[in-house]
Amino acid sequence: MTTNTLLLLLLLSILIAGGLSFFQYIYKAKNKSKIGWFLAFLRFLSIFGLLLLLINPILTKNTLETIKTPLPIVVDNSSSISFLNANEKAVELYKKIQSNSALQEKFDVQSYQFSDDFEPTETFDFKGTQTNIDVVAKNLKSIYKNAIYPTVLITDGNQTSGNDYVYSFNAVNKVYPVIVGDTTTFLDFKINQLNVNKYAFHKNKFPVEAFLHYSGTKSVTADFIISQGNSVFSKQSITFSPSKKTATVSVLLPADKIGLQVFKASISSKEKEKNTYNNTKNFAVEVIDQKTNIAIVSAINHPDLGALKRAIESNVQRKVTIVKPNEIKTLQDFSVLILYQPTTEFKTVFESNKGAGINTFIITGNNTDFNFLNQQQDNLNFKMSGQKEDYLSVFNAQFNLFAADNIGFENLPPLQNAFGTVTTKGAVSVLLSSKIRTIDTNAPLLAFAENQGRRAAYLLGENSWKWRLQTHVNNQSFEKYDIFMDKIIQFLASNNSKKSLVVGHESFYNSGEPIEITAQYFNKNYEFDEKARLTIAVTNTKTKQTKNYDLLKGNNSYKVNLDGLKAGPYAFTVKELNSKTTYSSSFEILDFDIEKQFVNPDVEKLTQLATQTQGKAYFSDQIDVLIKTLLENEEYKAIQKNSVTKTPLIDWIWLLVLISILLAIEWFVRKYNGLL
């Protein structure tokens, strides 16, 4: 509606409202009194208001808003700050920046803290168990999208988790690290890292690799010792100097005792150190006395074979041998047979296994002889054509033979198999069913059978190597796929009957790591019981102190997080309260506080971060210079934004209220003066 049209309608409305009011209360009135003029005025206003609602003009409101540049002040809340005696200084620096009136006038000052996580706050306790500066970069990018702003980062720069933070921050947004902690170089020996496998085999030797670091200004000799209790397994003298500050030590230790073995690695010298906590690291190895041998039997070469071997052997308890059907001599050497795309060449293997009774994992594909396969097993029936088809997978959350997680099967590449019909016979549990494009076939893709102590698994399609590759693309690691494959092998390697209560846990944890125990409870039909009531009692075997927790239901399992337990050996019992079923075991928490490994802030890394973002690193006594830099920087100016709000008059409820009040007053005046 144009302005001229609106003015014309408003003028017309005034004439109509005025004319009707004059005609009713003035022209027709016998006695022209002040009451008549008052009533005419009320009627004029109410009619004009109603006509305004019919015209419904748009009311425009301009609001001028000033938007300041955000200035996030991010404080390191990890315990390393207090360990370096810099907690009070960090709070002092934060308050000095946050309360500066000139900065508040120029910037929108906002306060955050970080340790293993990132959150807004104005109070700090410096009790975080991890330092993850990378999480700061990720959260700031999410909060201030498409904005140009500076960041003040108060930290010692000693990161203990997350990606390298130097290149994590947006390069167009300047970062000003404020370095806290004593930068004086002290003489210090440190075990930077220990590399050791979680498992070792009985009567073998297992390698331990240690990376040692020295800070100091003179040449010294230190002893590196690996011990267990009062027994010393290895002792080496290592010379350090100002030009040789690092050393790598490799040791082979004997695995003489079965079970969890805890060792201590330490480095010491006659020199006095400011921090001796980082001179010692405990580590543990579980010594096992057996190894599962798996045979992959295949008459063809295929990428699946290498992917299967790598996935299975990611568990050091497994050893995989790839053989041709006519080369396998005795089945008794193996615990599991993986029969890859069986044909008539596998006849001798199938016949030999009828007596050996070894569990099998059959994988089919384009080269499989399905008529032969129908003759050799009784769990699945195949009616296949010569046409090839791609099958996508659908995860069955109700699968209960063993605890299986959905690693994103619906988004994995399809497997290729012959087109046809697959039906189950007898007790077959389906973990993955197949789908052709968007159509569910309700046929198995990955299935398991258990009959009379014999177990079998079936994967109906080739190219599972693409699954392993895709999980690495999704997670930057093969771990999820390898663990999934290991669970299949674990199921096939054991003939034990099903347990109603299945508990998953590690034998040992490092202090500060998440300590999570999972459990599944199955009813008499071996179906996952979502109404189970699971509790866990955890007892420190040294102090005899016991803590009780409830396990919370998650996705097809129950979980409990035991973070906060002190280092030491623990025994625990998981109990299902309705059936009184229990599971007991133990684990050990190794004493290791990663936040106490440092004696100085990481000045070099924080300087790199500042350079990468075109900012500058400052020490705690340069805070006034930092404030001056921020105030004088012409890049960060407030922006005035004009907000235009358009509102139809019909949405203005107060006009309706006013019209109602005018009509009510008019009625009461007329009633009072006997004009009704």
Side-chain angles (χ1 to χ4, degrees):
M1 185 184 298
T2 64
T3 303
N4 291 334
T5 304
L6 179 61
L7 291 174
L8 182 62
L9 290 174
L10 289 175
L11 180 61
L12 186 61
S13 299
I14 292 172
L15 293 174
I16 293 173
L20 290 174
S21 303
F22 179 81
F23 177 78
Q24 184 170 358
Y25 285 109
I26 305 300
Y27 180 77
K28 292 180 64 179
K30 296 177 180 179
N31 298 318
K32 295 179 176 59
S33 63
K34 291 182 179 180
I35 296 297
W37 285 101
F38 179 65
L39 290 172
F41 178 69
L42 293 175
R43 178 56 61 90
F44 168 77
L45 291 177
S46 58
I47 293 175
F48 181 67
L50 290 171
L51 291 174
L52 276 179
L53 290 175
L54 290 174
I55 296 171
N56 191 25
I58 304 297
L59 302 179
T60 302
K61 181 181 179 182
N62 291 325
T63 304
L64 197 61
E65 181 183 3
T66 301
I67 301 177
K68 298 179 182 179
T69 301
L71 175 61
I73 306 173
V74 189
V75 180
D76 188 341
N77 195 49
S78 65
S79 60
S80 66
I81 299 295
S82 58
F83 185 70
L84 295 177
N85 296 317
N87 48 328
E88 293 181 1
K89 176 58 72 172
V91 172
E92 178 188 334
L93 296 173
Y94 160 75
K95 289 182 177 178
K96 192 167 185 178
I97 300 173
Q98 193 268 344
S99 61
N100 187 281
S101 57
L103 286 176
Q104 290 179 345
E105 184 178 348
K106 181 177 182 178
F107 296 97
D108 179 14
V109 181
Q110 299 177 2
S111 304
Y112 301 94
Q113 71 169 26
F114 74 95
S115 52
D116 55 343
D117 205 354
F118 179 90
E119 61 183 354
T121 187
E122 294 183 354
T123 58
F124 315 98
D125 58 13
F126 303 102
K127 293 182 179 179
T129 58
Q130 295 278 355
T131 301
N132 187 351
I133 303 179
D134 177 54
V135 78
V136 178
K138 291 178 179 177
N139 280 273
L140 291 181
K141 287 178 182 178
S142 176
I143 295 170
Y144 305 113
K145 290 181 179 178
N146 303 320
I148 303 298
Y149 60 93
T151 299
V152 176
L153 184 65
I154 302 175
T155 180
D156 58 13
N158 292 315
Q159 178 164 274
T160 60
S161 66
N163 298 324
D164 187 349
Y165 62 83
V166 170
Y167 302 98
S168 296
F169 287 82
N170 195 330
V172 300
N173 292 323
K174 296 181 179 180
V175 179
Y176 297 96
V178 179
I179 304 169
V180 293
D182 193 345
T183 57
T184 305
T185 301
F186 297 95
L187 187 145
D188 182 63
F189 295 102
K190 177 182 177 182
I191 301 177
N192 261 344
Q193 185 176 335
L194 278 176
N195 291 337
V196 61
N197 292 328
K198 283 189 174 183
Y199 303 98
F201 298 109
H202 188 219
K203 295 183 179 179
N204 285 353
K205 290 188 176 182
F206 61 92
V208 178
E209 186 178 37
F211 295 89
L212 311 177
H213 182 265
Y214 164 69
S215 296
T217 57
K218 60 181 181 179
S219 297
V220 293
T221 300
D223 292 330
F224 177 70
I225 300 172
I226 297 180
S227 60
Q228 184 182 45
N230 296 323
S231 302
V232 175
F233 287 89
S234 174
K235 182 177 180 180
Q236 299 184 35
S237 293
I238 303 166
T239 301
F240 296 95
S241 67
S243 60
K244 184 192 176 186
K245 292 182 176 293
T246 61
T248 303
V249 180
S250 297
V251 179
L252 285 176
L253 298 182
D256 295 332
K257 300 177 183 177
I258 296 173
L260 182 66
Q261 306 298 320
V262 179
F263 299 88
K264 181 173 75 172
S266 62
I267 183 172
S268 61
S269 74
K270 297 179 180 179
E271 303 292 335
K272 186 177 180 181
E273 297 181 61
K274 181 181 178 180
N275 178 16
T276 58
Y277 190 90
N278 58 10
N279 289 26
T280 303
K281 273 193 178 182
N282 293 325
F283 64 95
V285 175
E286 187 168 1
V287 179
I288 52 180
D289 62 351
Q290 60 179 356
K291 194 168 189 174
T292 304
N293 291 317
I294 297 105
I296 299 180
V297 185
S298 175
I300 62 173
N301 294 321
H302 197 281
D304 283 352
L305 305 180
L308 285 168
K309 179 178 174 66
R310 289 185 180 90
I312 296 169
E313 288 187 342
S314 65
N315 183 340
V316 296
Q317 299 181 59
R318 320 287 190 209
K319 181 181 179 182
V320 175
T321 304
I322 301 177
V323 295
K324 294 187 178 297
N326 56 357
E327 293 177 353
I328 192 165
K329 296 179 180 179
T330 172
L331 300 183
Q332 302 297 338
D333 296 336
F334 304 103
S335 302
V336 177
L337 295 177
I338 300 178
L339 307 178
Y340 188 79
Q341 302 207 39
T343 61
T344 53
E345 294 182 58
F346 286 69
K347 185 174 181 180
T348 303
V349 177
F350 276 102
E351 289 180 351
S352 300
N353 195 36
K354 289 179 181 178
I358 299 172
N359 294 335
T360 57
F361 184 10
I362 296 175
I363 302 175
T364 67
N366 297 323
N367 295 290
T368 305
D369 186 335
F370 289 99
N371 292 326
F372 170 75
L373 194 55
N374 280 332
Q375 300 170 8
Q376 301 300 326
Q377 51 81 42
D378 299 321
N379 298 308
L380 299 178
N381 184 54
F382 300 93
K383 294 181 180 178
M384 315 302 280
S385 67
Q387 180 182 350
K388 299 177 182 179
E389 186 58 78
D390 290 334
Y391 293 93
L392 297 167
S393 54
V394 180
F395 182 76
N396 176 20
Q398 304 303 315
F399 180 82
N400 56 44
L401 283 183
F402 54 86
D405 296 325
N406 187 351
I407 61 173
F409 290 105
E410 289 80 0
N411 299 317
L412 295 181
L415 300 183
Q416 196 171 78
N417 201 30
F419 178 77
T421 303
V422 181
T423 55
T424 60
K425 298 187 292 183
V428 176
S429 298
V430 177
L431 176 57
L432 299 176
S433 58
S434 63
K435 183 169 68 173
I436 300 177
R437 288 173 283 279
T438 59
I439 301 173
D440 289 326
T441 65
N442 296 319
L445 185 69
L446 177 60
F448 299 85
E450 186 174 10
N451 296 311
Q452 298 178 351
R454 296 279 296 272
R455 292 180 174 182
Y458 298 85
L459 179 61
L460 307 184
E462 62 180 64
N463 296 329
S464 60
W465 66 270
K466 296 181 180 180
W467 284 9
R468 189 169 190 260
L469 186 63
Q470 186 64 45
T471 55
H472 189 279
V473 171
N474 295 341
N475 306 287
Q476 290 73 54
S477 171
F478 295 114
E479 183 178 7
K480 286 191 175 182
Y481 178 84
D482 292 350
I483 289 175
F484 169 74
M485 187 58 61
D486 186 64
K487 288 183 177 181
I488 295 176
I489 299 301
Q490 180 64 36
F491 171 79
L492 295 172
S494 172
N495 287 326
N496 295 335
S497 59
K498 294 179 183 177
K499 297 178 181 179
S500 58
L501 181 59
V502 179
V503 179
H505 65 94
E506 298 289 342
S507 298
F508 60 90
Y509 304 88
N510 287 319
S511 292
E513 287 183 347
I515 303 174
E516 187 178 80
I517 294 180
T518 61
Q520 287 185 311
Y521 180 74
F522 302 103
N523 58 24
K524 292 181 179 180
N525 293 328
Y526 292 103
E527 298 170 339
F528 178 71
D529 191 345
E530 296 187 351
K531 297 181 180 180
R533 297 166 56 206
L534 296 175
T535 63
I536 181 171
V538 182
T539 303
N540 187 311
T541 55
K542 285 187 177 180
T543 64
K544 306 302 180 184
Q545 184 180 6
T546 299
K547 292 184 178 181
N548 295 285
Y549 306 85
D550 290 326
L551 278 77
L552 302 179
K553 182 182 173 297
N555 183 20
N556 204 29
S557 67
Y558 293 84
K559 296 181 180 180
V560 63
N561 194 312
L562 302 178
D563 291 357
L565 294 179
K566 295 181 179 180
Y570 289 87
F572 71 91
T573 298
V574 177
K575 184 176 183 180
E576 203 287 312
L577 299 180
N578 295 323
S579 64
K580 309 300 181 185
T581 306
T582 61
Y583 171 90
S584 297
S585 189
S586 62
F587 61 85
E588 184 160 347
I589 301 176
L590 305 181
D591 184 14
F592 177 69
D593 189 345
I594 195 169
E595 290 292 317
K596 294 182 179 180
Q597 301 298 305
F598 311 101
V599 292
N600 297 114
D602 196 336
V603 178
E604 182 180 351
K605 205 73 172 286
L606 291 174
T607 303
Q608 288 179 5
L609 169 61
T611 303
Q612 174 69 18
T613 59
Q614 299 180 357
K616 185 179 179 181
Y618 294 88
F619 294 99
S620 57
D621 58 351
Q622 298 175 311
I623 198 67
D624 292 329
V625 181
L626 169 60
I627 293 174
K628 183 180 178 182
T629 301
L630 291 171
L631 292 175
E632 293 178 350
N633 195 319
E634 295 297 324
E635 294 180 53
Y636 309 117
K637 294 182 179 180
I639 300 172
Q640 286 190 330
K641 181 180 179 182
N642 185 27
S643 299
V644 179
T645 305
K646 294 185 177 182
T647 307
L649 187 66
I650 199 168
D651 292 339
W652 195 33
I653 192 171
W654 291 109
L655 181 57
L656 292 173
V657 174
L658 179 62
I659 293 171
S660 301
I661 292 173
L662 292 171
L663 292 173
I665 293 172
E666 180 186 349
W667 185 85
F668 279 113
V669 172
R670 293 180 64 189
K671 181 73 173 177
Y672 182 78
N673 291 278
L675 298 176
L676 290 178

